[in-house]
Amino acid sequence: MHSVKQLCMANRLKLILNLLLLFCLVACSRNTNISPLLKEAEGYMNERPDSALLLLDSITHREDMSKEQNALWCLLYTQAQDKNRIEHTSDSLIQIAVNYYEKTDREDRKMLAYYYCGNVFYDLNDALQAQDYYLKAYKVGKNLDEPYWLGRLCANLGTLYIYQELYQPALDFQKEAAGYFLQDEDTVSLSMALRNIARIYVCENQLNSAITYYSKALPYTSGSHALYISNELADAYGRVGEYGKGVFYARQASALTQTTDDSCLVSLTLGDLFLKQRIIDSAYHYLSFCRRSTNVYTLKDTYHSLSQLEKYRGNLQTCLFFLEQYETLRDSVEKQTYKESLSRLQNMYDYQHVEKEKESYRQEADRKTNYLYRFLGITFFFLLLVVCIVFYLFKEKKKKEEQLNQSLRLQEQKYRDSQQYLAERNATIAELSRKAEVADDLKMQLDMMLEVVNKKIAGDTSGSIGCTQTFFTSDIYEGICKEWKKLDCEQWLEIVKWIDHVLYPNFTYKIKMVYPSISEVELQVCCLTKLDIPVSRIAVLLSMTSQAVSLNRKRLYKKLTQQEGTAKDFDKCISSL
């Protein structure tokens, strides 16, 4: 019965382990299959963004993704939507990518996450949030060699600044964008950047500069963009009074029109040019055609020009009619512009309000964090104090116990010593008597030896003095002081022999004992200084400058004494050895 139960338990355990293994295999297979799909979708992104979006939509079980895979999926999905011109309605996906890549060192991914987050907020009509993320992407992208993305970032920032009527920063960013597009050989984007620069100059009434940039943009432009740039260039020429060039570019634009509204837009430019030249019939022909437009801005300007034309003709009643139409449309446009301005102001207020709330929350969080740190610090201090007190009391208790044990051991030892005291005293007395006799014998022997040594010392001293005098009158000393141009190995060995064996016994040995790692040059400086050779002569013998010798003496003093000192301190130290 017992063996049957064990068999059942073993079978259950085996089943559980198999299920766990199967679960791990499924999870791993899902996790493994996702990475190639993401890589494939990223490869499709530029040429076939619709295929990339379908591929990303086919990935299910996002809950099984790793954080890195999920962040990449969110980034690529937002990018695919953007490239397929699908308007963004929420920033929830791209924020996942932003929050992940902000904590990594993948600067390229971080820049893309910031860029597409800016695009999302642009679609959500939150210009300030979009601008904030574009600036973050621009700051990261400046450290990367990515002219394609930097050009788009600068162009988008320039556009946002134009909306805020901040023309100087808008101009700077658009010019920088044009430089990046030229570097990347992206002619379409380059033409748009040059056109935007020209429009900024028009807003600032710098028409000659605007004409220059419109002219630069035209060679890179085709299709409908060429129509609008040619028409705007024609208008700019009309404003500076060069009507012939204006008509030329307006007719170029007219040849590119495809819709009625485009034809009306170009006809308005032609009508204004002819009106400024007082060619009334041609102006009336083109301006009358403009009344077919469905664009409220085109109609507004058309009625204003028609009122001026009728005023020249002297038809005041018709002029008033057109003026009324113009005022009505202008009120409509102003209301729309006013609503847009209010919307921008509201967005700005909301953004600033949110930022203030964020800052308030940050300050509150910092304040609470500081309180927490203080509380933890005080708590840790008191805990440490309690531990120290407990440890001190424990040590004191152990110390008292040790003292008590030692006292008991001493008492026991005294008791043991008292029983042997008499025997030891007698033995000590006998030993002292024997040592006294030995000491007397030793004293006699020492006296005799001292007398012999004194005699020998007297003889050695007279010999040493003679040897010293011999050295200072020798050719070696003469060579050291005057004749030798440089100290060679044989001469150095002779000097060492005289110093160590005759003049100053074991001098070099003493130096090496104090400073074991001394170099040969440093030892030569020590020996020559010991012989009282002048610094200038030492410099000649060692092929050095006098300053170098003095510096070596100063360093040697520190190495020999472990103290700071001068070259003279070194000389005194050497003379004392």
Side-chain angles (χ1 to χ4, degrees):
M1 185 69 178
H2 184 66
S3 61
V4 172
K5 287 184 178 180
Q6 286 182 338
L7 184 60
C8 290
M9 289 294 292
N11 289 333
R12 288 177 183 175
L13 182 61
K14 186 176 181 180
L15 178 61
I16 292 171
L17 290 174
N18 287 333
L19 289 173
L20 287 173
L21 180 61
L22 179 62
F23 175 77
C24 291
L25 288 173
V26 171
C28 290
S29 65
R30 284 180 180 175
N31 210 23
T32 305
N33 292 334
I34 288 172
S35 294
L37 290 175
L38 292 174
K39 188 174 182 180
E40 187 178 358
E42 190 172 11
Y44 288 151
M45 192 62 68
N46 291 327
E47 301 296 332
R48 296 160 58 190
D50 52 342
S51 300
L53 186 61
L54 289 173
L55 192 57
L56 291 168
D57 277 326
S58 69
I59 297 176
T60 56
H61 304 290
R62 283 183 55 207
E63 66 277 1
D64 296 330
M65 293 183 185
S66 65
K67 288 185 178 180
E68 181 180 5
Q69 290 172 335
N70 189 37
L72 181 57
W73 185 90
C74 292
L75 174 59
L76 293 177
Y77 197 84
T78 306
Q79 186 178 3
Q81 285 183 318
D82 195 83
K83 285 185 174 293
N84 284 285
R85 302 188 183 281
I86 299 173
E87 186 174 354
H88 303 288
T89 57
S90 173
D91 65 325
S92 57
L93 284 181
I94 193 61
Q95 287 292 354
I96 294 173
V98 168
N99 293 333
Y100 176 79
Y101 288 116
E102 278 183 333
K103 301 172 184 176
T104 67
D105 56 355
R106 288 296 304 269
E107 298 296 308
D108 53 341
R109 301 275 195 217
K110 188 190 298 184
M111 180 191 69
L112 287 179
Y114 284 146
Y115 173 76
Y116 283 108
C117 192
N119 285 358
V120 169
F121 278 113
Y122 187 87
D123 283 352
L124 295 175
N125 295 320
D126 194 340
L128 291 177
Q129 283 272 54
Q131 176 181 303
D132 187 33
Y133 280 101
Y134 284 146
L135 287 171
K136 288 180 180 179
Y138 175 75
K139 184 177 180 181
V140 175
K142 289 291 283 184
N143 299 321
L144 303 174
D145 186 19
E146 294 286 351
Y148 176 85
W149 293 109
L150 285 170
R152 273 144 188 79
L153 279 168
C154 291
N156 290 354
L157 282 167
T159 302
L160 287 174
Y161 281 122
I162 291 172
Y163 290 158
Q164 299 172 61
E165 298 181 358
L166 301 173
Y167 296 123
Q168 189 54 51
L171 190 63
D172 294 338
F173 275 113
Q174 291 292 354
K175 286 183 177 180
E176 191 171 353
Y180 286 123
F181 290 139
L182 185 63
Q183 181 181 348
D184 195 46
E185 299 181 355
D186 184 352
T187 56
V188 175
S189 300
L190 176 61
S191 69
M192 294 299 98
L194 294 172
R195 181 205 64 186
N196 291 337
I197 294 171
R199 286 179 176 178
I200 293 170
Y201 280 125
V202 169
C203 292
E204 293 190 313
N205 203 30
Q206 298 181 31
L207 297 175
N208 289 325
S209 298
I211 289 170
T212 300
Y213 278 94
Y214 277 132
S215 301
K216 288 181 179 180
L218 268 178
Y220 300 106
T221 311
S222 61
S224 60
H225 292 300
L227 184 154
Y228 297 125
I229 292 176
S230 298
N231 187 62
E232 291 175 24
L233 179 57
D235 181 67
Y237 273 121
R239 292 190 185 192
V240 297
E242 297 186 27
Y243 305 119
K245 291 183 178 180
V247 171
F248 171 77
Y249 283 107
R251 294 197 184 281
Q252 277 193 350
S254 180
L256 298 172
T257 58
Q258 294 181 353
T259 65
T260 302
D261 280 340
D262 288 343
S263 297
C264 291
L265 181 64
V266 177
S267 296
L268 175 61
T269 304
L270 283 168
D272 283 337
L273 288 168
F274 286 124
L275 181 61
K276 289 174 181 176
Q277 297 177 77
R278 300 295 190 271
I279 306 175
I280 303 301
D281 292 338
S282 297
Y284 183 77
H285 168 74
Y286 284 109
L287 292 174
S288 298
F289 179 78
C290 293
R291 296 176 70 181
R292 301 178 186 180
S293 177
T294 59
N295 186 292
V296 65
Y297 293 96
T298 303
L299 284 173
K300 174 179 72 71
D301 293 336
T302 298
Y303 283 121
H304 181 267
S305 298
L306 283 170
S307 67
Q308 295 296 317
L309 186 147
E310 295 300 335
K311 182 178 178 182
Y312 291 142
R313 284 179 168 180
N315 300 328
L316 297 181
Q317 191 67 28
T318 309
C319 174
L320 289 174
F321 170 76
F322 286 135
L323 276 176
E324 288 177 359
Q325 297 294 322
Y326 165 72
E327 291 294 338
T328 302
L329 291 172
R330 189 182 69 172
D331 290 343
S332 176
V333 169
E334 285 181 352
K335 286 180 181 179
Q336 184 176 348
T337 305
Y338 179 70
K339 287 180 181 179
E340 291 175 355
S341 299
L342 282 181
S343 178
R344 286 199 299 269
L345 289 173
Q346 184 64 40
N347 287 334
M348 184 178 296
Y349 172 78
D350 293 340
Y351 176 76
Q352 292 173 348
H353 183 67
V354 169
E355 287 299 313
K356 285 182 180 179
E357 287 187 349
K358 287 181 179 178
E359 183 62 27
S360 176
Y361 289 144
R362 279 195 292 267
Q363 292 177 357
E364 183 66 23
D366 291 341
R367 194 160 45 246
K368 289 181 179 179
T369 303
N370 290 333
Y371 287 150
L372 180 61
Y373 284 153
R374 289 178 186 175
F375 174 75
L376 291 175
I378 294 171
T379 304
F380 176 76
F381 173 76
F382 278 113
L383 286 174
L384 184 62
L385 183 62
V386 170
V387 170
C388 291
I389 293 172
V390 171
F391 181 74
Y392 174 76
L393 294 175
F394 176 75
K395 292 290 288 183
E396 286 294 317
K397 183 179 178 182
K398 294 290 289 183
K399 185 177 179 181
K400 288 180 180 179
E401 289 178 354
E402 184 63 29
Q403 289 175 351
L404 180 60
N405 292 333
Q406 187 176 2
S407 177
L408 291 174
R409 285 195 297 270
L410 287 173
Q411 290 178 5
E412 184 178 358
Q413 186 65 33
K414 286 179 180 179
Y415 175 73
R416 291 176 181 175
D417 291 343
S418 63
Q419 295 181 356
Q420 300 176 0
Y421 176 70
L422 293 175
E424 290 178 356
R425 185 184 63 178
N426 294 333
T428 302
I429 292 171
E431 182 68 21
L432 289 173
S433 298
R434 187 181 64 78
K435 287 182 179 180
E437 293 175 359
V438 172
D440 291 339
D441 294 339
L442 286 173
K443 185 175 182 303
M444 291 176 64
Q445 293 177 5
L446 287 171
D447 289 340
M448 292 173 66
M449 290 174 65
L450 183 60
E451 185 177 354
V452 172
V453 168
N454 287 334
K455 290 178 180 180
K456 187 175 181 181
I457 289 172
D460 290 344
T461 302
S462 61
S464 176
I465 292 171
C467 291
T468 302
Q469 291 175 350
T470 300
F471 172 76
F472 286 107
T473 58
S474 66
D475 293 338
I476 294 175
Y477 186 72
E478 185 69 18
I480 294 172
C481 293
K482 296 181 180 179
E483 297 179 358
W484 294 347
K485 300 301 182 182
K486 184 178 179 182
L487 192 62
D488 59 28
C489 294
E490 293 181 0
Q491 294 166 350
W492 167 240
L493 291 175
E494 288 295 327
I495 292 171
V496 171
K497 287 179 183 178
W498 274 98
I499 289 176
D500 278 348
H501 299 291
V502 177
L503 301 175
Y504 311 108
N506 298 323
F507 175 75
T508 59
Y509 174 74
K510 293 176 184 178
I511 293 291
K512 290 178 180 179
M513 286 293 290
V514 176
Y515 178 29
S517 60
I518 191 169
S519 67
E520 186 174 3
V521 173
E522 291 174 334
L523 188 59
Q524 289 172 349
V525 172
C526 292
C527 290
L528 293 174
T529 303
K530 186 68 175 178
L531 293 175
D532 204 19
I533 304 301
V535 172
S536 59
R537 186 59 189 160
I538 294 174
V540 172
L541 291 171
L542 301 182
S543 299
M544 301 168 64
T545 64
S546 300
Q547 290 82 358
V549 174
S550 299
L551 185 60
N552 269 324
R553 289 157 62 206
K554 185 177 178 181
R555 289 176 179 170
L556 278 168
Y557 180 76
K558 183 175 181 181
K559 292 175 180 178
L560 291 172
T561 63
Q562 305 300 318
Q563 296 178 357
E564 297 288 344
T566 63
K568 291 183 178 180
D569 293 332
F570 168 75
D571 296 344
K572 291 179 182 178
C573 177
I574 290 298
S575 65
S576 65
L577 290 176

